[in-house]
Amino acid sequence: MKQVNKSVPKIDGMGLAKGKPAFTDDLADSNAIIVKVLRSPHAFARIKNINVDKATKYPGVECIFTHKDVPRNVFTRAGQGYPEPSPKDKFILDEYVRYVGDELAIVAASTDEVAEQAMKLIEVDYEVLEPVLDFEKAENNKSVIHPEKEPYTMFPMGFDASKNIACTYDMHVGDVDEVLKNSEVVIDKTYYTQAQAHVAIETHSSTAYIDHYERLNIITSTQTPVHLRRIIGEALGMPINKIRVVKPRVGGAFGGKQQIHGELFCALVTLKTGRPSKCIYSRKEVFESSFSRHAMRLNIKIGAEKSGKLKAIDLRVLSDTGAYGEHALTVFMIAGSKTLPLYNKVDAVHFGGTVVYTNHTPGGAYRGYGAIQGNFALESAMDELANKLNIDPLELRKMNMIKEGETSEIFKIMGEGGEGTAQIIESCKLDYCLKRGSEMIKWNNKYQNKNKKVIDDKVRGIGLAIAMQGSGIPNMDMGAASLKLNDDGFFNLLIGATDLGTGSDTILAQIAAEALNVPVEDIVVYSSDSDLTPFDCGAYASSTTFVSGNGVKKTAEKMKNLIISEGAKHLKIDVSDTIFDGKIIKSKDGENSISLKEISKGWLYNYGQAQKQLLAVDSYVGKKSPPPYMAGFAEVEVDTKTGHFDILNYTAVVDCGTTINPKLALGQMEGGLLQGIGMAVYEDVKYNKYGQMLTNNLMNYKIPTREDVPNINVEFADSYEPSGPYGAKSVGEIGIDTPPAVIANAIFNAVGVRITDLPITPEKVLLAMKKKQIK
Amino acid sequence: MIIDEYKKPQTIEEAYSILTTKKNSQIIGGGAYLRLSKKHISSAIDLSNLKLDFISETDDYIEIGAMTTLRELEINEITKKYFNGIISNSIRNIVGVQLRNIATTGGAISGKFGFSDLITALSVLDCKVILYKAGAVKLVDFINQKYNDIVEKIIIRKNNQIADFQAIRNTKTDYAILNVAVSKHTNNSYKIAVGARPGIAIFAVKAEGFLKTVDSSKENAEKAGLIASQEIKFTSNFRASAEYRQELCKVLVSRAICNINK
Amino acid sequence: MKIKLKINNQDKIIDIRPDEMLLEVLRKNGCLSVKHGCDTGSCGACTVLLDEKPILSCSYLAAKAEGHSIITVEGAQKKVEQISKYLVDEGGVQCGFCIPGLVLTVMSMEKELNNPSEEEITHYLSGNLCRCTGYSSHTRAIKKYLEEKK
């Protein structure tokens, strides 16, 4: 491997550092009409009347849309494959507003200031309704959040709007109740995970214009350009051959940009006025009016023998999807499907639950996507079991976890909203990850669960957890690529895959270069343009390296074969006698040869009737979704008087198969870990009793700064996934999954209190310690 | 936020005249948090031309001009030298260098924000605010009264106090969940201020009184912390509960006293 | 109102509103490297150098900048490239949105701090948020840059 497993500098890194205009707002027409959204101040209300007369007359206002002026097509903004596994429950604008920040009216004006002033002139007469703000009281609440008749689902998912239920799901293997009843030890606990905000530094941004073919062009900061085109067409009732979607550079996404945001509003304004428009969200809009991680309640029961051998796991989940059901079903299912297979040797397993509507900001896709929630419950409960049995938590995992060559029935039963895909695990180095991680953090020296020494009010503790994710959605999500040979022997790689800053343009170029045995510099990448690049479902579900990467590899191999077969014709030798080494096409004995540089020129300029364009296209749909695995360890130091704690070390050993670009993979891991740590210890979307978000800016919602970074040590296991491109699996999400459980376990180890609701704040730690003392 | 006109007066008289004659006019200080305001300001008054950007030292006082940025206040050798660097320590975690390069000392105290770290720290020093018309006003009076006046500078008496600042935050640059400043005079009398309760800093008078009568043992520091936590009123907000703040007060006050007596 | 500004060493006379923030004025005048991230002075993406000191252009009235000199990444390409080489090599540029602001703060740190420790580096740069990298790659890169510059 010459071009992969190599830390090639990110190909757009220097240009971005030098501030080249590359993001949506940089590319918008300088005269673009400004699109602003008037948003609901109420958590739940019906609009009795809305009067825009005064606002429309305000100088500089171009047009205003209310629910009376837009097509009433029901759709979902989720940005998923088709048929969508999310309820179709959203209108462009509606007579109901269902959370504080929900859209009431779209205002287009010459400047921000004009738009702001015009919004103040819109008169709205509300019938304020009783909101549902406690997700544990949402089901069968007398307030029905979606009373309208249109919402539906594309396949059965237990959707029942009259009961505020977005979806339900239930599965089992064996008789869980029976096995639990007969287990020697049972852990029965309830955990809560909070809503987390994505906080990509670039806010949601989109711009639109009509081109000289009179087609609608949308440039937008999105993870899913092709889905977005489909959804815009569906919502506006327009043929999608009239729409082009271009994704420029994206300023961070993390799932937040899988859904659509202002694109529809720009489309409406530009279609109506014929002029360019742009919609740049404020930070407050991103917090209040986009999406956040689904908050969950997770009830878990684990049955085991006294020896520590697990017998049964029962996981029941209640999830809060907020006002709309984007990703309601799939995030909730993944809380089970990407955690429970870790312990595949149980006699019985059950997973089920309900996703409810509330009058909160909608839940949406967010890195970890249910797995982080499930992992907190499962891996906290495993620690509680270890404590109860007085077994080293490391040994308890080793005894029960999945191993290479094994499978889990869950893979077959649970998929993306429906049935899954059976798979044998061909690469799983969890045993190594645990062993190496425990060495790195000196587990055996540091782990003790009694007689902790407190020095100057400080005491240390250590914790661990294991995790898994997936690599794309098998038999569904597709990644395609095309390669074009140019004169001088370099290639254009066109990919639908969406680089969100992750470096996928770079690693996909590396994969193409590896297959063709050419330097990465000879691969010129262009990505994510619905007119020009081949299909790709987009960047989500940890799919790009595995799915798009396999698509690129197939395409590059096809190009290589094309060069060989066409080269053989030119050299007038047999194809079976022809080789291409990346530079030269030649017969095996070397007697006939021509350089790629020369032949590529000839094919385009000089060979008369033998002139031709070499172009290869191919695509890939996964037959399986090989999980990356990891073991995470943390050491914390708790101030026993204040509950405040420092994370001293975080160690992660990861099996993501071959790292196509080790430094970029490391960046995914370090970034994911810190986001997970943020969720574990302070990030928390909070509302007041009226349903107004208290944490709607970066002064009140804190993400980790560089001073908050613990000593993080990441290593990669030597691993090779046979189904992956050059042995690679995914690495985008796995990093975020472990910190909540690891830190909860480390705090327990340090001070003997178990925090079961995230985030683990100093306040919760101290108050739990005091409660324990009183007992 | 809307500003109708922007004024950069050449003299403080001129600035004062705009402030007192023009309705809805405002001194803008560094203007760092103006963007968050929903105000309609008729005249924004920028004091940049008035040479109020200085930190100097006389025999008895440290003088800090109103337009001195928090960053200058943080790194200045004079402020670092006195009172165990409490001024510098109290502000070094405010957001970031860039914000501290904008925000001014005058703005920071005029904002009278409950979460203010600087006000808590200054409270335990012998600090006066020099206003253009009203003249010298004790910091505590400045905080508690309304002045339609211009802060020219603050002055702090160099009285050999030892001081300590303590705060608990979620992230390193977050607003404090609670902050505490304690100072001790050469005559063994203490000043204890507790801020971000989440209300603005107030004094723990009973704890101060208690410390006057006892020696400087760790036990007495802990007792003083307990007294402070019982005499001061705390409330809950989304950052922390009153109960937790009370606990923190106990510990932080006691730790600050111990640090001073080390 | 009209103000005089020196943007990237060029004297300009610019027509602004009295309540306009420097960020908007700079973006309108071609400095697209200066980014809008948060509106509350919290993220550092809008950092520019004002008389060589880093400030948040989103929280600085353009009128207040009258007569001062402003440097953005557009006006310091050579120096930016020197620093960024290390960031790119360490994988420290993911989405890249926060990087122009970060690099400007690094430039001013270099002038202000002599031989800074890792703790001093992260403290000085803590106003530049990044959500992608987890910061460790930045720290490795900046330490290396400062080391090799010696």
Side-chain angles (χ1 to χ4, degrees):
Chain A
M1 293 192 269
K2 280 191 199 157
Q3 303 300 338
V4 298
N5 196 224
K6 183 176 164 187
S7 292
V8 173
K10 196 159 158 288
I11 55 179
D12 52 353
M14 186 56 87
L16 292 174
K18 286 164 83 177
K20 294 282 170 279
F23 298 91
T24 300
D25 194 20
D26 305 342
L27 303 175
D29 189 297
S30 57
N31 294 313
I33 296 172
I34 304 299
V35 180
K36 292 264 174 200
V37 184
L38 179 67
R39 297 182 178 281
S40 171
H42 301 294
F44 194 22
R46 193 179 68 82
I47 301 162
K48 289 201 282 193
N49 193 32
I50 181 163
N51 184 348
V52 298
D53 293 350
K54 280 184 205 157
T56 309
K57 286 183 195 130
Y58 191 80
V61 171
E62 295 287 340
C63 55
I64 295 177
F65 295 90
T66 71
H67 67 95
K68 295 175 212 157
D69 314 312
V70 296
R72 189 170 172 81
N73 296 322
V74 71
F75 63 100
T76 173
R77 299 170 296 177
Q80 295 167 289
Y82 192 86
E84 285 133 329
S86 293
K88 304 232 183 187
D89 56 12
K90 183 76 176 81
F91 302 94
I92 302 170
L93 296 169
D94 193 11
E95 66 167 325
Y96 285 91
V97 282
R98 297 180 176 84
Y99 68 98
V100 176
D102 205 351
E103 300 97 5
L104 269 172
I106 301 157
V107 176
S110 54
T111 67
D112 282 86
E113 294 69 33
V114 170
E116 294 287 348
Q117 289 305 311
M119 287 201 287
K120 289 181 191 158
L121 298 173
I122 297 176
E123 296 157 344
V124 191
D125 188 6
Y126 299 97
E127 177 191 351
V128 177
L129 303 167
E130 184 66 28
V132 179
L133 298 171
D134 179 348
F135 78 118
E136 295 184 272
K137 292 178 184 152
E139 189 175 339
N140 285 319
N141 197 293
K142 63 179 193 304
S143 278
V144 175
I145 294 162
H146 286 277
E148 70 279 13
K149 62 181 189 303
E150 292 94 336
Y152 73 104
T153 57
M154 298 191 79
F155 55 84
M157 57 181 79
F159 172 75
D160 186 350
S162 70
K163 294 180 177 165
N164 288 330
I165 293 175
C167 46
T168 59
Y169 178 81
D170 201 85
M171 66 72 76
H172 65 95
V173 178
D175 186 341
V176 122
D177 291 338
E178 190 61 26
V179 180
L180 281 172
K181 210 168 73 191
N182 295 323
S183 295
E184 291 173 337
V185 204
V186 175
I187 294 290
D188 181 353
K189 296 288 278 196
T190 301
Y191 299 90
Y192 288 86
T193 63
Q194 81 280 35
Q196 182 186 19
H198 305 80
V199 198
I201 306 294
E202 180 203 28
T203 65
H204 299 302
S205 306
S206 44
T207 175
Y209 64 93
I210 307 278
D211 68 17
H212 51 282
Y213 300 107
E214 303 213 295
R215 292 170 77 238
L216 175 67
N217 283 245
I218 299 171
I219 300 174
T220 181
S221 184
T222 182
Q223 295 174 232
T224 54
V226 183
H227 296 333
L228 196 134
R229 179 179 64 181
R230 191 190 73 233
I231 297 165
I232 299 271
E234 184 182 8
L236 297 178
M238 72 186 277
I240 62 170
N241 66 3
K242 296 282 182 208
I243 307 169
R244 175 187 181 192
V245 177
V246 175
K247 176 214 71 89
R249 291 298 98 179
V250 170
F254 320 115
K257 294 171 181 174
Q258 181 170 356
Q259 294 85 191
I260 70 165
H261 302 95
E263 294 89 348
L264 261 173
F265 313 141
C266 284
L268 276 169
V269 169
T270 290
L271 286 170
K272 172 141 187 182
T273 61
R275 291 173 44 206
S277 68
K278 72 172 181 181
C279 180
I280 311 296
Y281 273 26
S282 67
R283 180 56 58 186
K284 180 167 177 263
E285 282 179 298
V286 178
F287 274 113
E288 288 185 349
S289 307
S290 67
F291 300 87
S292 55
R293 191 188 293 290
H294 292 83
M296 290 185 188
R297 182 190 71 201
L298 306 106
N299 302 94
I300 188 166
K301 287 183 194 148
I302 302 182
E305 290 173 1
K306 279 185 184 152
S307 66
K309 186 182 181 316
L310 297 195
K311 302 297 285 179
I313 307 176
D314 182 2
L315 180 58
R316 289 160 204 262
V317 176
L318 179 71
S319 172
D320 179 359
T321 194
Y324 300 99
E326 288 87 359
H327 300 266
L329 177 65
T330 40
V331 165
F332 144 70
M333 283 179 70
I334 279 177
S337 67
K338 289 191 178 142
T339 56
L340 298 173
L342 283 170
Y343 302 111
N344 61 334
K345 293 180 244 335
V346 290
D347 296 340
V349 61
H350 170 260
F351 175 83
T354 306
V355 187
V356 291
Y357 287 114
T358 64
N359 295 104
H360 285 150
T361 293
Y366 190 157
R367 192 183 212 172
Y369 201 85
I372 183 170
Q373 292 98 318
N375 194 275
F376 174 60
L378 178 62
E379 287 296 276
S380 292
M382 282 295 282
D383 227 60
E384 300 209 43
L385 178 64
N387 184 55
K388 195 164 184 173
L389 295 173
N390 203 18
I391 295 178
D392 185 331
L394 185 74
E395 297 305 321
L396 186 68
R397 264 82 174 189
K398 279 188 193 162
M399 206 184 296
N400 291 289
M401 70 195 185
I402 193 165
K403 294 188 172 61
E404 215 162 80
E406 296 179 354
T407 185
S408 160
E409 288 188 62
I410 293 165
F411 293 132
K412 180 162 166 265
I413 300 170
M414 296 177 76
E416 186 76 355
E419 264 186 47
T421 304
Q423 62 178 345
I424 303 287
I425 298 304
E426 292 181 273
S427 62
C428 173
K429 304 293 177 210
L430 260 179
D431 44 356
Y432 171 82
C433 295
L434 271 176
K435 183 173 163 283
R436 177 65 190 143
S438 62
E439 283 166 16
M440 285 164 72
I441 203 147
K442 301 190 172 65
W443 179 269
N444 291 336
N445 299 346
K446 289 175 183 171
Y447 182 77
Q448 56 176 106
N449 52 12
K450 283 188 197 95
N451 308 321
K452 288 264 173 187
K453 262 195 208 134
V454 181
I455 302 165
D456 290 338
D457 298 335
K458 302 266 175 83
V459 61
R460 291 185 177 189
I462 192 164
L464 72 86
I466 56 173
M468 61 176 284
Q469 198 76 36
S471 298
I473 304 165
N475 294 316
M476 186 178 295
D477 282 351
M478 185 172 83
S482 82
L483 267 168
K484 182 181 77 172
L485 176 65
N486 298 290
D487 42 336
D488 216 31
F490 75 98
F491 301 87
N492 289 111
L493 174 64
L494 273 67
I495 39 179
T498 44
D499 192 330
L500 313 171
T502 47
S504 68
D505 282 355
T506 305
I507 65 121
L508 294 174
Q510 287 179 258
I511 289 171
E514 179 71 28
L516 288 161
N517 200 25
V518 300
V520 176
E521 297 74 41
D522 284 354
I523 308 289
V524 176
V525 182
Y526 181 75
S527 58
S528 318
D529 178 331
S530 69
D531 272 6
L532 301 182
T533 55
F535 183 92
D536 194 291
C537 59
Y540 57 84
S542 286
S543 59
T544 305
T545 303
F546 184 78
V547 177
S548 311
N550 266 321
V552 167
K553 181 164 176 274
K554 279 175 78 182
T555 305
E557 283 163 353
K558 213 176 212 179
M559 173 55 84
K560 187 177 175 182
N561 289 335
L562 206 54
I563 291 169
I564 290 172
S565 62
E566 292 298 328
K569 273 188 214 166
H570 178 81
L571 294 172
K572 297 188 176 64
I573 55 175
D574 198 74
V575 175
S576 61
D577 186 39
T578 311
I579 49 176
F580 169 56
D581 66 2
K583 281 188 186 141
I584 312 285
I585 304 151
K586 57 190 174 191
S587 58
K588 280 179 185 159
D589 60 15
E591 287 206 358
N592 296 292
S593 74
I594 184 166
S595 71
L596 182 66
K597 213 169 168 155
E598 192 185 338
I599 200 169
S600 61
K601 213 171 278 166
W603 274 332
L604 297 176
Y605 292 113
N606 311 119
Y607 295 163
Q609 289 309 306
Q611 274 169 232
K612 61 192 54 164
Q613 171 68 62
L614 262 53
L615 184 67
V617 184
D618 214 331
S619 52
Y620 177 84
V621 181
K623 295 189 184 83
K624 58 193 292 193
S625 178
Y629 294 97
M630 72 164 284
F633 299 79
E635 187 178 16
V636 299
E637 184 174 78
V638 186
D639 180 332
T640 55
K641 293 282 174 64
T642 64
H644 197 270
F645 57 91
D646 288 317
I647 302 163
L648 303 174
N649 296 296
Y650 205 103
T651 294
V653 185
V654 191
D655 166 11
C656 62
T658 304
T659 49
I660 299 293
N661 185 317
K663 274 199 179 146
L664 295 183
L666 178 63
Q668 286 300 307
M669 279 305 304
E670 289 173 338
L673 285 169
L674 196 63
Q675 258 175 38
I677 289 169
M679 170 156 169
V681 300
Y682 36 70
E683 292 187 36
D684 195 0
V685 173
K686 288 185 177 176
Y687 299 88
N688 66 12
K689 62 181 176 183
Y690 307 107
Q692 295 161 327
M693 195 183 283
L694 295 166
T695 50
N696 62 6
N697 58 49
L698 278 173
M699 298 193 296
N700 294 348
Y701 186 95
K702 284 294 174 185
I703 63 167
T705 72
R706 66 190 74 227
E707 285 188 280
D708 297 296
V709 184
N711 178 29
I712 293 181
N713 287 299
V714 179
E715 280 191 9
F716 294 98
D718 190 7
S719 172
Y720 190 93
E721 168 57 41
S723 66
Y726 302 105
K729 298 188 276 190
S730 78
V731 71
E733 292 185 273
I734 181 76
I736 204 169
D737 292 337
T738 57
V742 168
I743 293 165
N745 294 344
I747 295 286
F748 178 80
N749 181 243
V751 290
V753 299
R754 171 67 55 186
I755 306 301
T756 55
D757 58 326
L758 295 177
I760 305 161
T761 60
E763 170 161 3
K764 287 179 192 167
V765 173
L766 187 74
L767 298 182
M769 286 170 68
K770 283 180 70 80
K771 215 166 139 189
K772 196 181 150 207
Q773 278 164 5
I774 292 163
K775 272 185 190 165
Chain B
M1 180 262 313
I2 295 172
I3 296 172
D4 294 332
E5 59 168 5
Y6 196 87
K7 292 279 190 187
K8 251 187 194 174
Q10 294 303 318
T11 65
I12 195 152
E13 294 81 4
E14 192 190 340
Y16 184 76
S17 144
I18 302 167
L19 180 70
T20 49
T21 55
K22 202 116 194 237
K23 215 180 152 200
N24 297 325
S25 58
Q26 193 184 321
I27 309 281
I28 59 158
Y33 284 122
L34 266 183
R35 193 187 174 106
L36 306 180
S37 142
K38 291 200 164 68
K39 277 188 196 160
H40 188 142
I41 299 167
S42 58
S43 293
I45 307 163
D46 179 351
L47 308 181
S48 293
N49 286 341
L50 305 187
K51 301 192 168 57
L52 295 176
D53 174 7
F54 61 84
I55 298 174
S56 60
E57 199 176 353
T58 66
D59 287 347
D60 299 325
Y61 289 98
I62 298 170
E63 304 200 344
I64 301 162
M67 290 299 281
T68 306
T69 66
L70 295 187
R71 178 67 180 158
E72 289 166 50
L73 200 56
E74 173 194 354
I75 58 177
N76 185 275
E77 289 306 322
I78 299 170
T79 50
K80 281 203 308 210
K81 193 164 77 186
Y82 289 97
F83 316 116
N84 314 77
I86 189 174
I87 295 173
S88 180
N89 290 340
S90 72
I91 54 178
R92 71 187 299 274
N93 291 313
I94 299 175
V95 188
V97 167
Q98 300 97 316
L99 190 87
R100 299 199 295 279
N101 271 332
I102 303 176
T104 59
T105 307
I109 62 163
S110 302
K112 303 180 184 177
F113 297 113
F115 54 73
S116 173
D117 295 313
L118 182 61
I119 289 175
T120 303
L122 291 176
S123 292
V124 298
L125 306 178
D126 184 352
C127 173
K128 288 198 175 77
V129 180
I130 309 299
L131 297 166
Y132 170 64
K133 272 289 154 180
V137 176
K138 275 186 168 170
L139 177 66
V140 53
D141 296 332
F142 175 76
I143 300 295
N144 292 322
Q145 286 164 38
K146 242 188 135 182
Y147 291 91
N148 195 28
D149 206 330
I150 298 172
V151 176
E152 282 189 49
K153 59 185 175 184
I154 60 172
I155 59 170
I156 304 162
R157 189 189 292 276
K158 298 195 299 190
N159 55 6
N160 294 321
Q161 278 173 306
I162 5 176
D164 192 64
F165 180 83
Q166 298 274 327
I168 292 278
R169 305 167 201 278
N170 272 328
T171 67
K172 290 285 193 316
T173 61
D174 197 0
Y175 298 106
I177 294 172
L178 192 85
N179 59 34
V180 166
V182 176
S183 69
K184 186 183 180 184
H185 273 268
T186 39
N187 65 5
N188 247 2
S189 72
Y190 289 79
K191 276 298 218 185
I192 302 173
V194 180
R197 309 168 288 114
I200 203 159
I202 54 173
F203 294 110
V205 186
K206 283 184 189 163
E208 290 169 0
F210 167 75
L211 286 170
K212 251 185 211 161
T213 61
V214 295
D215 65 31
S216 61
S217 68
K218 194 180 171 203
E219 290 66 36
N220 285 329
E222 281 171 3
K223 271 185 200 159
L226 184 66
I227 296 168
S229 75
Q230 285 165 345
E231 68 177 298
I232 285 171
K233 196 174 168 323
F234 304 94
T235 48
S236 298
N237 69 353
F238 70 93
R239 278 202 177 81
S241 68
E243 187 189 359
Y244 183 56
R245 288 196 162 99
Q246 189 174 24
E247 281 299 318
L248 286 184
C249 175
K250 202 163 77 187
V251 181
L252 297 189
V253 166
S254 139
R255 281 184 184 165
I257 296 168
C258 286
N259 280 348
I260 281 173
N261 290 326
K262 245 179 208 166
Chain C
M1 63 187 283
K2 280 197 165 51
I3 56 163
K4 260 206 249 170
L5 274 184
K6 187 178 256 189
I7 303 177
N8 292 326
N9 300 316
Q10 277 188 314
D11 289 315
K12 293 199 173 181
I13 291 171
I14 297 175
D15 200 10
I16 60 158
R17 291 194 327 274
D19 46 22
E20 226 169 338
M21 289 295 168
L22 188 57
L23 167 63
E24 281 80 30
V25 171
L26 289 171
R27 283 192 65 89
K28 274 184 204 163
N29 282 276
C31 300
L32 294 171
S33 70
V34 191
K35 302 300 188 198
H36 158 251
C38 74
D39 316 300
T40 53
S42 312
C43 79
C46 67
T47 300
V48 300
L49 300 180
L50 183 116
D51 299 338
E52 302 192 352
K53 284 187 180 148
I55 57 145
L56 301 167
S57 62
C58 82
S59 301
Y60 203 90
L61 284 170
K64 195 170 153 58
E66 156 103 75
H68 292 279
S69 162
I70 290 149
I71 297 289
T72 71
V73 153
E74 282 88 351
Q77 291 273 295
K78 210 171 154 192
K79 184 79 194 171
V80 169
E81 194 165 336
Q82 280 170 13
I83 299 170
S84 301
K85 188 190 168 301
Y86 292 85
L87 285 167
V88 176
D89 282 351
E90 285 299 324
V93 181
Q94 283 192 30
C95 83
F97 199 77
C98 70
I99 299 295
L102 172 69
V103 172
L104 290 170
T105 316
V106 172
M107 281 167 58
S108 103
M109 178 183 76
E110 249 189 288
K111 286 206 177 118
E112 273 190 51
L113 306 183
N114 185 26
N115 211 2
S117 65
E118 181 168 326
E119 205 190 327
E120 287 170 318
I121 293 171
T122 54
H123 182 66
Y124 194 94
L125 302 174
S126 66
N128 291 94
L129 296 184
C130 165
R131 189 62 155 169
C132 294
T133 60
Y135 304 110
S136 300
S137 51
H138 292 180
T139 307
R140 286 192 291 271
I142 291 161
K143 276 165 72 180
K144 215 175 204 176
Y145 161 70
L146 294 174
E147 192 54 41
E148 289 186 15
K149 192 191 68 170
K150 275 179 197 166

